[in-house]
Amino acid sequence: DVPEDELAVNWQRLIMTHIEEKEHLGTLTGSPLTDTKITLAAGRAHAKHTEGGDFREATYRAIRNALMQAARDGNVALLEPWSEYEIDVPAGSVGRVMTDIKQMGGTQESLEQRGDRAVVKGRVPSAEITNYPQTLAGFTSGEGRLSLTQSGYDICHNTEVGRYWSKKEHWM
């Protein structure tokens, strides 16, 4: 968004190159940024004293400062992978399934009765449902079926745990 008379196009392209040459880390957990739009809003160069390396350092600092300001303003969120689920169980087990999904931090979008069976559909944090097939098989005597599809990222359902594990992995 910077006019060419304020900052020459070659400097603007160099800045954009510096943005993309490095993996920038978020302020909440130190995790890599994803799905981020960065806009060059202002900049100046001095004909005699500006070098390419100056913009590299300034670019990195500007991004970090913007992220820190966004965190101070409450405009950042920790995301985690979520999955869409479909669970087909004997009708007598549907209450247990609904309770389990709620305890996992998931949501139920539909419940359909099909004779002596029930099908529950919704979304759940992927990390929470990872070991659920064994649990489901246990309380349905092997008659429950679980189908999962990745459905992108959503707000972390347990931010404090997410921060702890991300920091631990980041520093290891």
Side-chain angles (χ1 to χ4, degrees), residues 1 18 22 26 30 33 64 94 104-105 119 167-170:
D1 290 346
H18 292 321
K22 176 182 175 184
L33 291 182
R64 193 75 188 151
V94 74
M104 289 181 218
V119 177
K167 284 182 180 175
K168 185 176 180 183
E169 291 171 6
H170 179 70

Side-chain angles (χ1 to χ4, degrees), residues 56-153:
R56 174 179 283 121
E57 187 63 31
T59 299
Y60 294 169
R61 285 184 185 183
I63 291 170
R64 193 75 188 151
N65 286 340
L67 292 170
M68 290 169 46
Q69 183 63 50
R72 282 191 297 272
D73 294 345
N75 294 324
V76 294
L78 183 62
L79 303 179
E80 70 178 330
W82 279 61
S83 297
E84 290 181 9
Y85 67 84
E86 179 175 308
I87 303 174
D88 181 332
V89 293
S93 300
V94 74
R96 165 76 188 267
V97 168
M98 291 169 37
T99 299
D100 289 350
I101 292 298
K102 186 172 180 79
Q103 288 177 342
M104 289 181 218
T107 60
Q108 176 188 328
E109 294 169 7
S110 69
L111 170 60
E112 185 180 328
Q113 291 291 131
R114 296 180 184 167
D116 63 343
R117 299 194 64 83
V119 177
V120 183
K121 295 180 182 179
R123 292 182 74 236
V124 66
S126 298
E128 294 292 330
I129 202 160
T130 301
N131 296 320
Y132 196 62
Q134 294 87 350
T135 303
L136 182 65
F139 73 81
T140 64
S141 300
E143 292 187 37
R145 292 187 293 268
L146 170 65
S147 174
L148 294 172
T149 305
Q150 289 298 321
S151 67
Y153 289 82

